[in-house]
Amino acid sequence: MNAQIIDGKKIAAEIRSEAKLEATELIADGVQPCLVVVLVGEDPASKAYVGSKVKACEETGIKSIKITHPSDVSEEALMADIERLNADVSVHGILVQLPLPSHIDEDVVTEHIHPNKDVDGFHPVNVGKLSIGIDCLTPCTPTGIPEMIVRSGIDMSGKHAVVIGRSNIVGKPMMSLLVQKGEKANCTVTCCHSGTRDLTYHTKQADILIAAIGVPEFVKADMVKEGATVIDVGINRVEDPSTAKGYRLVGDVDFDEVKGVAGAITPVPGGVGPMTVAMLMKNTNKAARLLTR
Ligand code: NAD
């Protein structure tokens, strides 16, 4: 079987043009959507993520402000920033790039952001609203996944979705999204994690298999049901001396093996990754509407 390759870059570009239109409409209504990104320290991956978010804002017509702090910034100083941004009516989205240095409590920081400016969708108020099906800001990476599936012409309703991973950023919100009613959900959901017994038994039942594990090429062909839709959230660096950088990016799914069994599959890179930033643009516009209606 030759799997359909789900083109995350193409779908993300579509979503970004929709976000651009939304931003234009907001501006016509007198609202300049604005995202503030807070970066702490010098972590190269975090810097790169922040850079791509700022660039996407520029291309979408969303104003972006980058605030940087040294890695030894105090929790109090970070809180003072957030309080100021919460009170600033010209700011609609606040994103503190994670991970933070260990002396700062990420949960405390997340809870300090006003829920209607929480474009990452990590605030407990938004987590709760998502779980009971109230419209709210939801985490960008999992929110992009049903978009990719449905826009690729794959029906989700009534399908058995198996999520591997239970993180607060991907796995758990993914479960909450998939179980809701609606065209981009309505699945029967199983969540597997490091405590799951006989993982392959569960993954083999999946019509939609979503891997968010953080282990390179963990999902092999013999774990996948023939014809399943396989979504690879993983982004892992593996050493590769043949490349200029000395490494390459791979997902949590063994793409070359699994594409022979799956009905549809996302590549890494070029799958889920580009969707995350596109959904952030959508969330920033949504926050701007929420805060100014
Ligand atoms: P995490 O480390 O917080 O969670 C990993 C999960 O995998 C855990 O819940 C754990 O229970 C589960 N797990 C680990 N080993 C397992 C095993 N042997 N069997 C079953 N389950 C197992 O990671 P995360 O933040 O959820 O990220 C997961 C992956 O997704 C990483 O590669 C990360 O880089 C990537 N990611 C990508 C994006 C994106 O934009 N594409 C966004 C966030 C995370």
Side-chain angles (χ1 to χ4, degrees):
M1 184 181 238
N2 248 350
Q4 170 189 353
I5 309 298
I6 298 178
D7 187 345
K9 269 194 197 159
K10 183 168 158 268
I11 300 169
E14 251 170 57
I15 290 175
R16 277 166 66 160
S17 34
E18 290 166 20
K20 193 171 181 173
L21 202 64
E22 288 165 3
T24 310
E25 285 165 5
L26 277 158
I27 294 164
D29 292 344
V31 180
Q32 169 59 65
C34 173
L35 173 68
V36 178
V37 186
V38 181
L39 174 66
V40 177
E42 297 291 326
D43 176 56
S46 291
K47 279 171 121 174
Y49 287 136
V50 165
S52 66
K53 288 166 188 175
V54 168
K55 185 164 173 270
C57 282
E58 275 166 21
E59 290 167 6
T60 311
I62 293 174
K63 180 180 171 189
S64 69
I65 299 169
K66 186 167 111 178
I67 297 177
T68 54
H69 286 292
S71 57
D72 61 355
V73 67
S74 67
E75 198 171 286
E76 292 69 34
L78 209 50
M79 294 304 174
D81 262 356
I82 294 173
E83 272 163 33
R84 182 174 56 77
L85 297 168
N86 280 342
D88 185 339
V89 290
S90 70
V91 170
H92 308 110
I94 305 170
L95 185 152
V96 179
Q97 185 65 44
L98 302 179
L100 292 171
S102 56
H103 67 279
I104 299 174
D105 187 332
E106 289 183 358
D107 291 340
V108 171
V109 171
T110 301
E111 285 181 39
H112 228 72
I113 296 172
H114 190 289
N116 288 351
K117 297 192 179 192
D118 167 40
V119 283
D120 255 338
F122 296 157
H123 192 287
V125 165
N126 287 320
V127 175
K129 281 186 171 178
L130 168 60
S131 101
I132 57 173
I134 295 177
D135 187 35
C136 62
L137 294 167
T138 58
C140 299
T141 301
T143 303
I145 290 173
E147 291 290 340
M148 299 179 87
I149 298 174
V150 168
R151 287 173 192 244
S152 301
I154 299 163
D155 186 20
M156 296 183 67
S157 189
K159 298 269 179 77
H160 186 182
V162 176
V163 181
I164 319 176
R166 58 176 158 187
S167 72
N168 293 337
I169 295 174
V170 188
K172 283 191 197 129
M174 190 73 256
M175 284 194 293
S176 295
L177 285 161
L178 291 167
V179 84
Q180 302 301 325
K181 286 183 179 168
E183 184 213 2
K184 292 173 191 158
N186 214 23
C187 293
T188 301
V189 185
T190 299
C191 180
C192 300
H193 44 73
S194 51
T196 298
R197 289 188 193 156
D198 198 354
L199 182 65
T200 298
Y201 166 80
H202 295 285
T203 59
K204 272 271 200 194
Q205 318 225 354
D207 302 311
I208 298 169
L209 181 62
I210 300 171
I213 312 160
V215 179
E217 300 177 329
F218 178 91
V219 175
K220 302 290 180 191
D222 63 1
M223 297 170 72
V224 177
K225 181 166 86 174
E226 183 96 30
T229 298
V230 179
I231 306 293
D232 190 351
V233 184
I235 303 176
N236 309 291
R237 275 186 187 191
V238 293
E239 274 183 37
D240 185 347
S242 73
T243 66
K245 290 180 179 164
Y247 69 86
R248 68 193 158 88
L249 294 180
V250 299
D252 290 348
V253 175
D254 188 328
F255 182 83
D256 289 336
E257 264 198 21
V258 173
K259 75 173 196 288
V261 183
I265 186 168
T266 61
V268 176
V272 173
M275 294 294 292
T276 300
V277 177
M279 298 317 291
L280 176 65
M281 300 299 105
K282 283 259 184 188
N283 267 0
T284 304
N285 289 335
K286 188 172 180 175
R289 278 275 175 232
L290 268 176
L291 290 157
T292 56
R293 69 183 170 200

